């Protein structure tokens, strides 16, 4: 599974939302539910694209399923890759500043609004590059992106 006939691993496409709170630019992190790889790790909310789905549609669906909110538009900001033992993922990162609805943790996750450096641990390693860009954009030292 997940391997092409030539033996190269296929990418799993993932849509990820960086939700940014209007009043203080805080970032939303949530925990991975039990039963998934890296359960209990902190991540930006999101999930895998389904067949034929765009990144924007997948993100809208995932945020609704997981958090109970509805987003309007989402544009891809950055694309990164991470090679996990369980999957080679391609992460499509979208910044989201507007949504409707109240947060409701529909998969039993925890959520926290965070400033950089994050004070939750452990954080999924695939989120590291985007934390570096967010820190740079905020004029913070590189150490503000640390998840060690
Ligand atoms: N949502 C999210 N996924 C991330 C982040 N960083 C990162 O490496 N990933 C990886 O992207 C993949 C997301 O898949 P998932 O298992 O959460 O997706 P899903 O909700 O559609 O899962 P399922 O339908 O299999 O239950 C995982 O391999 C996860 O390790 C992140 O910050 N947020």
């Amino acid at each position: 599974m997940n391997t092409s006939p030539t033996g190269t691993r296929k990418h799993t496409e993932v849509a990820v939302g960086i939700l940014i709170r209007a009043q203080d630019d805080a970032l939303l992190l949530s925990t991975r539910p039990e039963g998934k790889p890296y359960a209990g790790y902190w991540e930006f909310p999101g999930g895998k694209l389904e067949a034929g789905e765009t990144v924007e549609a997948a993100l809208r669906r995932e945020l609704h399923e997981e958090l109970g909110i509805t987003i309007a538009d989402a544009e891809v900001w950055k694309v990164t890759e991470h090679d996990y033992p369980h999957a080679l993922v391609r992460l499509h990162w979208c910044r989201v500043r507007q949504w409707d609805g109240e947060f409701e943790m529909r998969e039993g996750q925890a959520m926290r609004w965070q400033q950089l450096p994050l004070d939750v641990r452990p954080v999924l390693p695939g989120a590291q590059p985007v934390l570096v860009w967010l820190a740079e954009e905020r004029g913070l030292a590189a150490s503000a992106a640390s998840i060690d």
Side-chain angles (χ1 to χ4, degrees), residues 8-146:
T8 343
R9 287 177 94 200
K10 263 185 65 183
H11 285 88
T12 299
E13 307 291 338
V14 180
V16 195
I18 303 170
L19 272 66
I20 305 175
R21 190 164 65 178
Q23 67 264 36
D24 60 357
D25 284 343
L27 308 167
L28 184 74
L29 277 286
S30 57
T31 54
R32 290 180 62 77
E34 287 310 311
K36 288 192 177 187
Y38 289 83
Y41 275 61
W42 292 85
E43 66 173 6
F44 291 91
K48 294 172 204 147
L49 271 64
E50 291 179 354
E53 215 176 23
T54 62
V55 169
E56 186 180 19
L59 186 63
R60 186 175 298 116
R61 176 182 53 71
E62 288 283 351
L63 296 182
H64 194 255
E65 283 172 9
E66 293 177 2
L67 307 177
I69 60 162
T70 303
I71 60 167
D73 301 334
E75 269 180 37
V76 177
W77 176 50
K78 302 278 186 190
V79 181
T80 64
E81 293 183 1
H82 195 89
D83 198 354
Y84 288 99
H86 65 278
L88 172 61
V89 295
R90 186 181 286 128
L91 303 155
H92 303 261
W93 299 91
C94 303
R95 286 186 290 191
V96 179
R97 296 177 188 275
Q98 286 186 318
W99 54 85
D100 286 323
E102 298 301 319
F103 287 95
E104 197 185 312
M105 298 298 109
R106 295 185 168 173
E107 296 181 344
Q109 326 88 300
M111 69 168 257
R112 298 258 185 86
W113 289 103
Q114 293 274 290
Q115 297 290 348
L116 297 179
L118 302 179
D119 65 13
V120 292
R121 293 289 186 281
V123 178
L124 275 186
Q128 172 78 86
V130 100
L131 292 169
V132 173
W133 287 312
L134 286 163
E136 271 172 19
E137 205 180 46
R138 293 169 181 220
L140 301 170
S143 57
S146 172

